[in-house]
Amino acid sequence: MAPGNDADTARRARATRSAGLLPLVVGLASAAALTGAAYFTVDSASCGSPAQYIRHDSHVELVGGCVDGANLPATGTPSTGGVVHGNYSP
C-alpha cells in the first residue's frame, strides 16, 4: 500500500460527508423560510371572525370568515344523480 492512500481515503470521506450535509442544510433552511412565510401570511390576514362549517339537514354551509358570498360567482346546483353522500362526519 502506498503511503498516500490513507490520506486520500480520509479526504474523500470528508468530502462525501460535507456533500451529504449540504442538501440537509438547504432543506432545513427552505422549510424554515416557508414556515415563516406561512406564519406571516396567516398573521397578516385580518378576519373579523373565523369561519366555521355548520351542517344543516342535507348540506353543509360555511359561516363567517373573510370571504363574502356576494363576491363569488354564481353556480348552479350540482347534480349528484340522486346519490346521497353519507361520508361526512362532523
Side-chain angles (χ1 to χ4, degrees), residues 26-36:
V26 169
L28 289 174
S30 61
L34 289 172
T35 301

Side-chain angles (χ1 to χ4, degrees), residues 5-63:
N5 286 344
D6 291 337
D8 290 340
T9 303
R11 192 174 322 139
R12 270 189 251 131
R14 265 186 264 129
T16 303
R17 272 185 263 149
S18 64
L21 186 62
L22 182 63
L24 176 67
V25 170
V26 169
L28 289 174
S30 61
L34 289 172
T35 301
Y39 180 80
F40 176 74
T41 302
V42 170
D43 191 43
S44 65
S46 57
C47 292
S49 64
Q52 53 182 301
Y53 289 99
I54 298 182
R55 185 175 186 181
H56 296 286
D57 292 331
S58 63
H59 67 280
V60 178
E61 181 181 6
L62 178 65
V63 177

